[in-house]
Amino acid sequence: MYTHTDTHDLRHHGDAEIRDEKLTDLAVNVRTDTPPAWLRERIAASLTGLAAYPDGRAARAAVAARHDLPPERVLLTAGAAEAFVLLARALPVRRPVVVHPQFTEPEAALRDAGHRVRRVLLREEEGFRLDPAAVPRDADLVMVGNPTNPTSVLHPAALLARLARPGRTLVVDEAFIDAVPGERESLAGRTDLPGLVVLRSLTKTWGLAGLRVGYVLAEPDTVAALERAQPLWPVSSPALAAAEACMSRAALAEAELAAHRTAVERAHLLAGLAEFDEVRAVAAAEGPFVLVRMEGADAVRERLRTLGFAARRGDTFPGLGPEWLRLAVRDRAVTNRFLQALDQALVMSGHAADR
């Protein structure tokens, strides 16, 4: 199923839910208590070199080595969000398709570049899982998230690989894959799939949303085309220092430990949500967030705010409506307080089942 029309606010993001208010943040999918002290120190140390123009060679080499790729297959970007703009502007795209529900910035970037975007809408009754046959065969650009924001569904790598073909650019947004233990189902490092572009972000696991750093893994010709579309020195020296530091063996081990911890905390959140008859969660969640459906979610979200919690509204995602909320996974203590607040919010909103 795909359509050209839109009534969704593609520019709404989770940070708008917490701006200017002191709330416990379940709206933004950035790991709490980050960046860690050692990473802050590395970034601070880079400030002594701010008089020089940024030199991305060391960071690029570190990313390449981390994925066992040559440097010409790597492009550092000012966050993964910059990559969406570069892809929309630099590639000769005629028939782009975006798989929804997913992060809305890819479609917004394509539209801003003048493209007419077709959508493939994944269905709740099918677990928001992707059927490659639903993607039009003539699509020359396909964008999909893995694990997908906001559904938290992790698509099998073999299934995504079936979308790759000559003459098509397949963009897989892996901004949250490092929150999956073992980075299962990642396509990073694959060089056998034609037109594959993998996007990565350091924002979520390392708490670097304010620094803006991510990277692209793609064929050398694609990397070169995107690089030509970038302004000079697009990634700052502190961001480059952070990227290099996050590729170290110790950092990767820390990220893996955090991913396992997230899986445990997500299971606790899902178990708590299962106690509410009026709440239905996407049980296949594999990312650091869960998607939930409930009657009157808008009213519940506003009640939660009065109780000190910010949740991400779901109705800005194509394929979802006002009955959806996205919740970031937090530690057990925060989750327990949230579940108590949710119980209150449901009662206050008149949507609570008898318990």
Side-chain angles (χ1 to χ4, degrees):
M1 177 180 181
Y2 41 96
T3 180
H4 303 292
T5 59
D6 180 51
T7 57
H8 298 81
D9 180 4
L10 300 180
R11 293 298 191 188
H12 181 88
H13 300 298
D15 60 322
E17 311 282 355
I18 58 168
R19 196 171 291 147
D20 302 325
E21 294 194 49
K22 293 184 178 179
L23 300 171
T24 298
D25 177 19
L26 304 183
V28 176
N29 297 321
V30 174
R31 187 163 64 98
T32 55
D33 299 322
T34 54
W38 63 265
L39 183 52
R40 293 198 304 271
E41 291 168 5
R42 286 287 296 271
I43 294 169
S46 74
L47 300 181
T48 60
L50 290 185
Y53 285 96
D55 182 349
R57 288 176 295 177
R60 190 175 193 174
V63 172
R66 181 254 199 271
H67 293 289
D68 196 23
L69 293 170
E72 58 266 25
R73 281 184 166 265
V74 175
L75 181 67
L76 277 294
T77 58
E82 187 203 10
F84 297 128
V85 175
L86 297 176
L87 288 162
R89 295 180 179 177
L91 301 185
V93 176
R94 293 178 179 273
R95 297 174 296 278
V97 168
V98 178
V99 178
H100 285 289
Q102 77 148 315
F103 184 50
T104 53
E105 204 59 34
E107 179 170 327
L110 285 164
R111 288 185 176 204
D112 288 346
H115 296 290
R116 181 173 171 84
V117 180
R118 289 182 290 179
R119 294 174 176 169
V120 170
L121 299 179
L122 305 186
R123 297 158 57 87
E124 178 193 6
E125 51 267 39
E126 296 170 356
F128 294 110
R129 298 191 179 280
L130 175 64
D131 177 3
V135 176
R137 293 187 61 82
D138 67 344
D140 58 1
L141 174 71
V142 177
M143 288 191 171
V144 60
N146 203 39
T148 302
N149 171 21
T151 65
S152 206
V153 169
L154 184 67
H155 303 293
L159 182 147
L160 292 175
R162 288 167 53 190
L163 294 174
R165 62 189 57 182
R168 170 186 288 176
T169 300
L170 171 62
V171 180
V172 182
D173 176 10
E174 294 188 350
F176 294 100
I177 199 79
D178 58 351
V180 176
E183 297 193 354
R184 297 188 340 271
E185 313 304 343
S186 173
L187 291 177
R190 291 282 295 268
T191 60
D192 59 316
L193 299 176
L196 176 65
V197 176
V198 173
L199 307 184
R200 288 293 188 100
S201 171
L202 301 181
T203 291
K204 319 302 179 185
T205 289
W206 298 113
L208 299 176
L211 199 58
R212 311 309 308 140
V213 58
Y215 55 90
V216 176
L217 306 175
E219 296 168 349
D221 288 350
T222 300
V223 167
L226 300 180
E227 192 168 18
R228 286 193 296 271
Q230 279 185 310
L232 289 173
W233 311 291
V235 183
S236 70
S237 296
L240 291 170
E244 185 178 358
C246 291
M247 297 302 116
S248 72
R249 185 173 300 177
L252 295 177
E254 183 176 325
E256 179 70 5
L257 182 63
H260 283 277
R261 190 179 307 118
T262 294
V264 172
E265 301 294 4
R266 184 182 59 244
H268 179 67
L269 173 59
L270 287 170
L273 291 170
E275 296 296 317
F276 296 91
D277 292 338
E278 58 274 55
V279 177
R280 185 163 67 252
V282 177
E286 296 275 4
F289 48 89
V290 299
L291 183 66
V292 299
R293 181 173 188 168
M294 66 188 79
E295 184 180 348
D298 274 351
V300 172
R301 182 171 64 89
E302 290 304 317
R303 293 296 186 184
L304 284 169
R305 294 181 72 83
T306 68
L307 297 169
F309 289 88
R312 171 66 159 89
R313 57 190 282 200
D315 62 341
T316 64
F317 294 100
L320 301 182
E323 67 276 19
W324 293 94
L325 296 176
R326 190 192 70 196
L327 306 170
V329 173
R330 300 299 186 222
D331 64 49
R332 184 163 299 218
V334 171
T335 293
N336 289 343
R337 293 202 312 273
F338 165 73
L339 292 170
Q340 291 177 338
L342 177 61
D343 192 24
Q344 289 180 257
L346 287 165
V347 171
M348 293 164 67
S349 303
H351 295 290
D354 293 335
R355 282 192 290 278

